[in-house]
Amino acid sequence: MTLVSSAAPVRSDYLVGPPSIEDRIFEHQIDKQRLRQIELEKRRLRNVNPTPQRRVTPPRSIKQVPQKPHRTKTINKSKSSAATYKNQGLALFRLKKYPQAITIYNKALALNPSDDQAYKIRGASYLQLRNYPKALSDLRKAAALNPGDAETYKVQGVAYKRVKKYPQAIASYSKAIALEPSDDLIYWNRGLVYAVLKKYPQALTDYNKAVTLNPQLAGAYDSRGNIHAILENYPKAIKNFDMAIALNPKSTRSHYNRGKVYQILKQHSKAIADYDKAITLNPKLAEAYNNRGVSYKSLRDYPKALLDFNKGISLKPERARVYTSRGLTYALMGNKTLARQDLQIAASLFLKQKNQKDYQSVLELLKKL
């Protein structure tokens, strides 16, 4: 009986989870922004003091008429109140109290509806709450009011990527780059969008620029390693993952990704070592257990392989390929009954997921049992 292993990692699965950069791109310069905003408010308030009114003493025979308060005072008071709300809202945003921040910014915008900064940070708050329509609406208003603010386009790029409007995301990041061409994070983020669109040369160009601007940007090396792995340039992929790990030894993503490349190269001991580290850093990473199990299976350490497959299935029971791998392991151990049970489960899941290719492959395996 010859059984073909489905052990080889899927190339499209190199990147584990959403890039954390998306959630911190806006906060990257938030401290600078807050100080800049407070300073600008102070300057503006100093420059709009009411013009002193010349006092005219009326003749004694004319009754003194009370003067109406000057409108500038009312305007200044409203804008001052709006600025206070903005500072409160920014503090709440930094504390990740996004609903409360939105409530405060609503008050600020009611007093000053032309404040681009208020729209921007309220939009960022909606983004964190995954209310993408409102986030994009606010960010478009902020950009219209102040088209020279690169921060707005950065956050807008994240929002467009979240709703899978990739061309718009690239356009937003490109506008941000035009305004701030030395910001490494924008190049990295635009590269991630190009990678989703499988525009690998453009992605590599952006990752190269990002690490040129910031040689300590570990995540960009990891992303660049991903592209080299997809293009099957494995030595360059490993070199980039090595750099990422040297800069950030606690990167689950980089250890996992390098492990997959070692696995493709059939260097299973090195792959297992990387998966061990990834699991230590993130014990709930089902993919690391599954792939480590595949390497143990390739080394014919079937008991350890079964332990890993069992753990992976307990974390993500919908992963059909893991049932296939466990079924093949049972078959190699001579337990046809359990092998058949797992392959039948895998076939059912593949059919449910409309994966006809793998469904037919599993049916062929069942015929050989």
Side-chain angles (χ1 to χ4, degrees):
M1 175 180 65
T2 302
L3 294 176
V4 180
S5 171
S6 61
V10 180
R11 289 193 305 169
S12 62
D13 194 33
Y14 282 112
L15 195 59
V16 181
S20 59
I21 181 64
E22 286 195 356
D23 292 326
R24 67 183 178 87
I25 186 170
F26 180 76
E27 296 175 359
H28 178 66
Q29 296 176 342
I30 201 71
D31 291 324
K32 290 182 181 178
Q33 178 186 323
R34 181 173 181 270
L35 293 172
R36 185 169 65 246
Q37 178 182 326
I38 292 172
E39 182 60 29
L40 288 173
E41 285 294 338
K42 288 181 178 178
R43 291 180 184 177
R44 188 185 61 75
L45 290 173
R46 282 198 299 265
N47 293 335
V48 296
N49 286 333
T51 304
Q53 300 295 312
R54 186 175 62 182
R55 297 184 64 182
V56 178
T57 304
R60 292 183 182 180
S61 60
I62 301 175
K63 186 177 180 180
Q64 182 74 40
V65 178
Q67 297 291 317
K68 293 182 179 180
H70 200 278
R71 288 185 62 192
T72 308
K73 292 183 179 180
T74 305
I75 295 170
N76 286 342
K77 184 177 180 181
S78 296
K79 290 192 174 182
S80 178
S81 299
T84 301
Y85 283 131
K86 278 174 55 179
N87 290 333
Q88 291 174 358
L90 186 57
L92 290 166
F93 178 87
R94 296 182 74 227
L95 292 171
K96 299 184 178 181
K97 295 183 177 181
Y98 304 119
Q100 296 93 322
I102 289 169
T103 299
I104 294 297
Y105 277 113
N106 290 342
K107 295 179 180 180
L109 287 166
L111 292 169
N112 185 7
S114 61
D115 192 324
D116 63 287
Q117 296 296 308
Y119 279 116
K120 177 174 68 178
I121 305 177
R122 189 176 72 173
S125 299
Y126 280 126
L127 176 63
Q128 297 294 346
L129 295 174
R130 300 185 180 183
N131 189 335
Y132 302 125
K134 287 190 175 181
L136 286 167
S137 175
D138 272 356
L139 293 167
R140 281 191 288 264
K141 290 176 183 175
L145 288 165
N146 184 3
D149 187 352
E151 287 278 334
T152 299
Y153 295 116
K154 295 179 193 178
V155 188
Q156 196 177 65
V158 173
Y160 277 129
K161 184 174 184 289
R162 294 275 183 88
V163 297
K164 299 182 179 181
K165 292 186 176 181
Y166 302 123
Q168 293 91 325
I170 288 172
S172 293
Y173 286 134
S174 297
K175 289 179 181 178
I177 287 170
L179 292 165
E180 290 188 9
S182 61
D183 191 319
D184 53 294
L185 292 175
I186 316 176
Y187 287 101
W188 181 17
N189 272 263
R190 190 174 68 176
L192 290 170
V193 181
Y194 279 130
V196 172
L197 294 174
K198 298 183 180 181
K199 294 184 176 182
Y200 302 129
Q202 293 93 321
L204 282 174
T205 298
D206 273 350
Y207 297 149
N208 291 341
K209 184 66 174 180
V211 297
T212 299
L213 290 168
N214 182 3
Q216 304 300 309
L217 191 59
Y221 289 106
D222 180 89
S223 299
R224 192 167 67 177
N226 269 332
I227 301 300
H228 286 306
I230 291 169
L231 297 176
E232 300 183 5
N233 192 335
Y234 301 125
K236 282 190 176 182
I238 289 173
K239 183 178 180 181
N240 275 275
F241 293 138
D242 287 345
M243 285 292 298
I245 290 168
L247 291 167
N248 182 10
K250 294 184 178 181
S251 171
T252 304
R253 190 195 317 275
S254 298
H255 284 288
Y256 173 79
N257 287 338
R258 189 174 66 179
K260 291 193 74 170
V261 175
Y262 280 134
Q263 194 167 41
I264 291 170
L265 296 173
K266 297 183 179 181
Q267 298 181 27
H268 294 294
S269 296
K270 289 183 177 180
I272 288 170
D274 268 336
Y275 292 139
D276 287 344
K277 186 64 176 179
I279 289 168
T280 299
L281 293 165
N282 182 3
K284 293 185 178 181
L285 186 60
E287 292 81 1
Y289 290 103
N290 299 338
N291 288 350
R292 190 174 67 178
V294 168
S295 282
Y296 278 129
K297 175 174 161 292
S298 298
L299 295 174
R300 299 184 180 181
D301 192 340
Y302 302 134
K304 286 185 178 179
L306 287 177
L307 286 173
D308 274 346
F309 294 144
N310 292 340
K311 182 65 175 180
I313 288 170
S314 72
L315 290 169
K316 286 191 176 181
E318 75 283 359
R319 295 299 293 269
R321 286 192 177 89
V322 189
Y323 288 100
T324 305
S325 295
R326 191 173 70 174
L328 291 169
T329 305
Y330 279 131
L332 291 168
M333 296 174 73
N335 193 331
K336 292 185 180 181
T337 302
L338 291 178
R340 189 174 288 107
Q341 287 179 4
D342 270 352
L343 292 175
Q344 287 171 345
I345 294 172
S348 176
L349 287 169
F350 281 133
L351 189 61
K352 184 179 179 180
Q353 296 162 8
K354 299 181 179 180
N355 186 339
Q356 283 294 325
K357 182 180 178 181
D358 285 328
Y359 171 69
Q360 292 298 329
S361 297
V362 173
L363 291 183
E364 290 299 318
L365 291 173
L366 282 166
K367 289 178 183 179
K368 295 177 182 180
L369 283 177

